[in-house]
Structures are given as structure tokens and as C-alpha cells.
């Protein structure tokens, strides 16, 4: 799923609050059960590529093995789940050293297992490094437990509040404790090597192409192609077929996402045999074309609305995105998609005017 499963924390009146950009899933996300043994599924894709699916959101960790070591693409959302995935990979490649980790983007559910591979070179887009550095700083109150302490203080001082208000605070406190239990011991481990352009990584007898796509799903996206195996790894650029994705036009760039999908379809759609997305089962490269068509249609419809002079409010109310009506989560995410595309186009227009 092309969803940014990460949390944003803000401070108001000295109290740290959590707000999730997955509004409909916020509570379920926070209360998701701790990862336990047996949740990791490993699929062989070719003779030297493994996909380990697991963690809270069924994130995909990919291992590319050679005689000279292993390259990992993305991790799970916890060190525990990532370590379990590594143990299963070791059953296939027991004597191979982990040499590289490639982060396709910086969202928590794909990088919070980086610490398991702290001895490897961790490769990412420069904007991913910047984003993760910011996350590491802003989440200090969460990781050191201050968020929980602040909520406990807020609850203790709420004796004059209504029962409903106190219950709301208790709910946030319970969610905070569960979230801290699961993620509070994470050490956000930053990339050690950033790529402003694409690169070819020579790993033993195999070549791994790292494709720099810039701002798309996130502020800086990479894709990875393994030519000999025909495996294209795209992170969260592609979600489930015929399903709306939760988009972010502020940290990501929906116009850039359309361009990235078009490029991947043109350059790799004919040669790739397997498509590994950020979550769930290994897919078909034809998913690229479906995802590209969906995002291009969305951008074109919102651009046309802006040209008519519609405000964002008018566009949300009037634009039906009729071709997407039968997509999964259409009712829940239509307005989200419109707003993300709107802000992406607005930012690009402002940038064009400056230049």
C-alpha cells in the first residue's frame, strides 16, 4: 500500500501530542500488536533474491545475495521484526555478510530496522537523510518516554474536565504506552552514503541498479533493479492494483510521482519479471502501468479544476474522479488524493513563478 505509515508529533502548551497522517487508521495503527515470531514470510524471487514480508504493516525487506555478500533493500518497522527476517534469510545464505542497505525512502515502516545493519553501508537519497535526521530530533520526546509522562501529567491535572474529556486523555495515554512499548527502543540509524544521481552497485557477480527518482511518494525516492533476476523494487511508489493510495502533497510530490511511474514503466516495464512494492505480496510489472494511469488521471483532473478557477474546497466537493469510482477506498481517500494533487500542483506553480 502506498501509505506513509509514520507518525508526526507536535508540542502544544508544553504537552507532546501525536497526530497520524493516517487519520482513519490512527488508533488501529497505534494499537497494532507487537511483532512476534512466525509473522515473517519469505519468498524466493529468482535464485538470489529473497523478499521477507512482515512487521506491523507487512513491509517488504528484500535481500539480494552474491558471492561477495548481501545487499538489503528496506527494512521492517521494528528491529525485532527486521532481525527475525534476517534470521530467515540466513537459512538460505548462512555465510554471506550484509554489505549494503538501500532505503528506498525515509518513512518509519521502511527504515526503523536500519540499526540491525549498523555495520553495513546504508544508502539513501539526500532528502531521505535530511528527513530521517529531522525525525530523529523531533521524536526525542517519544523515544525517551516524555510523551507518556506528559500525558500522565495532563490526566492528573484534568480533575476539572468533563468525564468525556478525561476519557479522551486516557485513550491517548493508553495508545502512547502501547506505541512506546513497540517502538520506543528504536534507534533511528541514519544513512551513511547518499546518492544525488543513480548508480550501479557491483556486488560480486551481480549488478544492482539504483534509480534516483527524486521527490515522488516522499521527498526523495529510490528504486532498485536487479537485471539478472528481473526484479524491480519500488518501495511505496506503487500500491495494490485498483486501490486508491493515501497521498501526501506536502512531503511528497504527486506530480513527481506520476513522472516517476512513467519513467519506471518506460525503462523497466518491458524487462522486469517481478515487481516488489513496499508492502504485501510480490506483484506483476503490469502494476506499474495501472499505477501510472491512476496518478496521471488524478493530476490531470485536479489541474483542469485549478484552470477553471476552482478553489481547493470547490475541487474537493465537485470533482468526482469518475474513472476511479470502483477503486478500493474510493470513498475514504478521494478527497485526500484531490488535496494532495492540489498542493503538489500549487507548489510547482509557485516555484515556476519564482523562476
Amino acid at each position: 500500500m502506498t501509505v506513509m505509515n509514520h507518525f508526526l508529533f507536535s508540542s502544544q502548551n508544553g504537552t507532546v501530542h501525536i497526530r497520524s497522517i493516517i487519520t482513519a487508521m490512527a488508533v488501529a495503527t497505534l494499537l497494532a500488536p507487537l511483532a512476534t515470531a512466525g509473522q515473517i514470510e519469505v519468498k524466493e524471487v529468482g535464485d538470489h533474491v529473497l523478499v521477507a514480508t512482515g512487521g506491523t504493516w507487512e513491509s517488504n525487506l528484500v535481500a539480494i545475495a552474491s558471492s561477495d555478500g548481501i545487499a538489503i533493500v528496506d527494512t521492517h518497522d521494528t528491529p525485532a521484526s527486521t532481525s527475525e527476517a534476517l534470521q530467515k534469510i540466513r537459512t538460505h545464505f548462512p555465510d554471506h555478510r550484509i554489505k549494503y542497505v538501500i532505503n528506498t525512502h525515509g518513512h518509519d515502516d521502511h527504515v526503523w530496522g536500519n540499526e540491525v545493519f549498523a555495520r553495513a553501508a546504508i544508502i539513501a537519497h539526500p532528502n531521505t537523510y535530511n528527513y530521517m535526521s529531522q525525525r530523529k530530533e523531533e521524536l526525542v520526546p517519544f523515544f525517551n518516554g516524555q510523551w507518556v509522562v506528559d500525558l500522565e501529567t495532563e490526566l492528573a491535572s484534568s480533575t476539572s474536565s468533563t468525564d468525556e474529556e478525561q476519557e479522551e486523555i486516557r485513550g491517548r495515554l493508553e495508545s502512547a504506552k502501547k506505541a512506546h512499548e513497540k517502538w520506543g527502543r528504536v534507534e533511528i540509524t541514519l544513512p551513511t552514503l547518499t546518492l544525488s544521481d543513480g548508480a550501479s552497485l557491483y556486488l560480486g557477480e551481480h549488478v544492482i541498479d539504483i534509480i534516483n527518482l527524486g521527490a515522488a511518494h516522499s521527498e526523495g525516492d529510490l528504486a532498485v533493479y536487479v537485471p539478472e533476476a528481473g526484479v524491480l523494487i519500488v518501495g511505496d511508489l506503487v500500491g495494490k492494483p485498483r486501490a486508491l493510495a493515501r497521498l501526501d502533497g506536502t512531503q511528497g510530490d504527486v506530480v513527481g510521482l506520476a513522472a516517476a511511474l512513467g519513467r519506471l514503466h518506460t525503462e523497466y516495464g518491458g524487462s522486469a519479471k517481478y515487481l516488489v512494492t513496499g508492502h504485501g505480496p510480490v506483484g506483476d510489472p503490469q502494476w506499474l502501468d495501472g499505477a501510472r494511469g491512476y496518478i496521471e488521471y488524478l493530476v490531470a483532473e485536479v489541474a483542469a479544476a485549478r484552470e477553471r478557477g476552482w478553489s481547493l474546497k470547490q475541487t474537493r466537493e465537485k470533482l468526482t474522479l469518475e474513472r476511479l469510482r470502483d477503486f478500493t477506498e474510493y470513498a475514504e481517500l478521494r478527497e485526500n488524493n484531490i488535496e494532495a494533487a492540489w498542493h503538489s500542483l500549487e507548489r510547482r506553480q509557485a516555484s515556476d513563478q519564482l523562476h
Side-chain angles (χ1 to χ4, degrees), residues 9 80 88 102 173 308 327:
F9 295 80
K88 294 202 171 187
I102 304 167
L173 177 58
R308 295 185 200 108
F327 276 43

Short mmCIF file of all heavy atoms in Angstrom, two decimals, residues 9 80 88 102 173 308 327:
data_model
loop_
_atom_site.label_atom_id
_atom_site.label_comp_id
_atom_site.label_asym_id
_atom_site.label_seq_id
_atom_site.Cartn_x
_atom_site.Cartn_y
_atom_site.Cartn_z
N PHE A 9 4.67 14.18 15.55
CA PHE A 9 4.48 14.63 16.92
C PHE A 9 4.62 16.14 16.96
O PHE A 9 5.49 16.72 16.33
CB PHE A 9 5.53 14.00 17.84
CG PHE A 9 5.39 12.52 17.95
CD1 PHE A 9 5.88 11.69 16.97
CD2 PHE A 9 4.75 11.94 19.04
CE1 PHE A 9 5.76 10.32 17.07
CE2 PHE A 9 4.62 10.58 19.14
CZ PHE A 9 5.12 9.77 18.15
N ALA A 80 13.12 -5.82 15.95
CA ALA A 80 12.76 -7.21 16.24
C ALA A 80 12.30 -7.94 14.99
O ALA A 80 12.75 -9.04 14.68
CB ALA A 80 11.69 -7.25 17.33
N LYS A 88 15.77 -15.59 8.96
CA LYS A 88 15.21 -16.45 7.91
C LYS A 88 16.03 -16.37 6.63
O LYS A 88 16.20 -17.35 5.92
CB LYS A 88 13.75 -16.09 7.66
CG LYS A 88 12.86 -16.38 8.86
CD LYS A 88 11.41 -16.54 8.48
CE LYS A 88 10.61 -17.04 9.67
NZ LYS A 88 9.22 -17.38 9.32
N ILE A 102 19.90 -0.43 1.28
CA ILE A 102 19.38 0.66 0.46
C ILE A 102 17.99 1.02 0.98
O ILE A 102 17.10 0.17 1.01
CB ILE A 102 19.30 0.25 -1.03
CG1 ILE A 102 20.67 -0.22 -1.53
CG2 ILE A 102 18.77 1.40 -1.88
CD1 ILE A 102 20.64 -0.92 -2.88
N LEU A 173 -3.36 8.29 26.32
CA LEU A 173 -2.29 7.76 27.17
C LEU A 173 -2.09 6.27 26.93
O LEU A 173 -0.95 5.79 26.83
CB LEU A 173 -2.63 8.01 28.64
CG LEU A 173 -1.65 7.44 29.68
CD1 LEU A 173 -0.25 7.99 29.45
CD2 LEU A 173 -2.14 7.76 31.09
N ARG A 308 -9.98 25.96 -14.17
CA ARG A 308 -11.33 26.53 -14.15
C ARG A 308 -11.47 27.61 -13.09
O ARG A 308 -12.50 28.28 -13.02
CB ARG A 308 -12.36 25.43 -13.88
CG ARG A 308 -12.48 24.36 -14.95
CD ARG A 308 -13.63 23.40 -14.63
NE ARG A 308 -13.47 22.15 -15.35
CZ ARG A 308 -13.12 21.00 -14.81
NH1 ARG A 308 -12.89 20.93 -13.50
NH2 ARG A 308 -12.99 19.92 -15.55
N PHE A 327 -12.46 1.91 -7.56
CA PHE A 327 -11.23 1.57 -6.86
C PHE A 327 -11.51 1.36 -5.38
O PHE A 327 -12.38 2.02 -4.79
CB PHE A 327 -10.18 2.68 -7.01
CG PHE A 327 -9.38 2.61 -8.28
CD1 PHE A 327 -9.99 2.34 -9.50
CD2 PHE A 327 -8.02 2.85 -8.28
CE1 PHE A 327 -9.26 2.29 -10.68
CE2 PHE A 327 -7.27 2.81 -9.44
CZ PHE A 327 -7.89 2.53 -10.65
#
